[in-house]
Amino acid sequence: MSHLNNSNTAQSAIWGQVDDYMNTLLIPNDPIFQDALQANAEAGLPSHDVTPNQGKFLQLLLQIQGASRVLEIGTLGGYSTIWMARALPEHGRIVSIESEPKHAEVAQANLTRAGLMHKVDLRTGPALTTLPDLQEDYPELFDLIFIDADKPSNPDYLRWALRLTRPGSLIIGDNIVRDGEVIRSHSEDARVQGVRTFLECIGSHPKLEATALQTVGSKGYDGFVIARVKDIPVTK
């Protein structure tokens, strides 16, 4: 679930070839996804989409969990939204928040072409000004929240995720390794510091249990964190 370029071109090429090999074996070719990526590129959107195997991973998580209510923070062109919306039952709903109107417009076209807009509540605007409305609009809490937006705001997104989830819900954060820069405590990159604070908050929070996985592939070297809201109420 990464978008970073690795300086080792030869190694990156191998990672991409392995991705292609695994995807060919495990993920059937689907023109809907190819059309979405092409539309994103033609519209000039950054190529920060998850890879096919990562999209499938998200889809499987939703299916394993039996999720019907999903929140995505960071839509981009809707590629990951398509993967997740397909995992939902007909009555399911995914709320996806995108700060850039142009990106949201492309995402809506992609989701309409995929025949999935009836499952998607696509909201445009900064997530931190949009999230408060969800508490009123969606009294039933979310089964899974996927955080894939501006990294400096990740700690704030986590605070909202904890308000909008129930015991057993999953919170997934993307792009947490940053080509290894996450270990640089004195980094001047606000994205790195946002991720570091995000991980520290998850690791120290009494309501969460979590792990993180490093990933390599066609999009470079990165990783994601997956946290579960604990079932047992925490007593202080």
Side-chain angles (χ1 to χ4, degrees):
M1 301 178 181
S2 67
H3 64 271
L4 301 175
N5 294 322
N6 192 281
S7 58
N8 190 325
T9 304
Q11 188 65 67
S12 294
I14 292 173
W15 295 342
Q17 290 166 20
V18 173
D19 262 3
D20 291 342
Y21 171 70
M22 296 297 185
N23 292 341
T24 299
L25 287 177
L26 302 175
I27 303 175
N29 185 43
D30 189 328
I32 288 294
F33 291 110
Q34 295 303 318
D35 290 346
L37 291 177
Q38 182 177 343
N40 292 354
E42 290 175 352
L45 271 60
S47 58
H48 294 172
D49 312 274
V50 300
T51 59
N53 51 349
Q54 294 163 353
K56 185 67 173 182
F57 174 76
L58 290 171
Q59 188 179 86
L60 288 172
L61 278 180
L62 266 64
Q63 292 169 328
I64 290 167
Q65 196 188 29
S68 60
R69 296 177 299 278
V70 176
L71 171 61
E72 178 180 47
I73 302 175
T75 315
L76 194 60
Y79 183 78
S80 55
T81 321
I82 294 172
W83 277 108
M84 291 188 287
R86 282 188 168 185
L88 297 176
E90 279 304 304
H91 68 277
R93 195 75 164 165
I94 176 169
V95 181
S96 191
I97 302 173
E98 174 52 50
S99 63
E100 296 292 336
K102 177 183 176 181
H103 297 178
E105 184 179 344
V106 174
Q108 181 165 350
N110 285 333
L111 289 160
T112 299
R113 189 183 306 110
L116 293 169
M117 273 307 297
H118 65 291
K119 294 184 181 181
V120 181
D121 179 357
L122 181 58
R123 301 195 175 200
T124 305
L128 293 178
T129 60
T130 304
L131 286 166
D133 295 335
L134 298 187
Q135 284 189 304
E136 181 176 347
D137 297 345
Y138 289 89
E140 290 189 82
L141 299 173
F142 292 96
D143 302 312
L144 183 144
I145 295 180
F146 180 44
I147 300 173
D148 190 14
D150 60 305
K151 308 313 171 193
S153 297
N154 270 9
D156 293 318
Y157 297 149
L158 177 63
R159 283 187 277 273
W160 272 105
L162 286 163
R163 297 177 193 173
L164 296 169
T165 48
R166 55 169 178 77
S169 294
L170 298 180
I171 301 170
I172 301 173
D174 199 5
N175 307 129
I176 63 159
V177 173
R178 316 297 307 174
D179 206 21
E181 289 300 305
V182 70
I183 66 172
R184 311 297 180 194
S185 60
H186 300 297
S187 173
E188 296 181 358
D189 188 331
R191 296 167 299 181
V192 171
Q193 292 300 337
V195 167
R196 286 178 60 87
T197 303
F198 178 55
L199 292 172
E200 291 163 7
C201 291
I202 290 174
S204 63
H205 201 288
K207 288 180 62 178
L208 296 175
E209 52 186 353
T211 191
L213 297 177
Q214 299 181 73
T215 60
V216 296
S218 57
K219 294 292 183 73
Y221 172 38
D222 214 331
F224 61 92
V225 60
I226 177 168
R228 179 180 179 274
V229 183
K230 292 180 180 179
D231 296 298
I232 302 173
V234 176
T235 56
K236 296 184 178 179

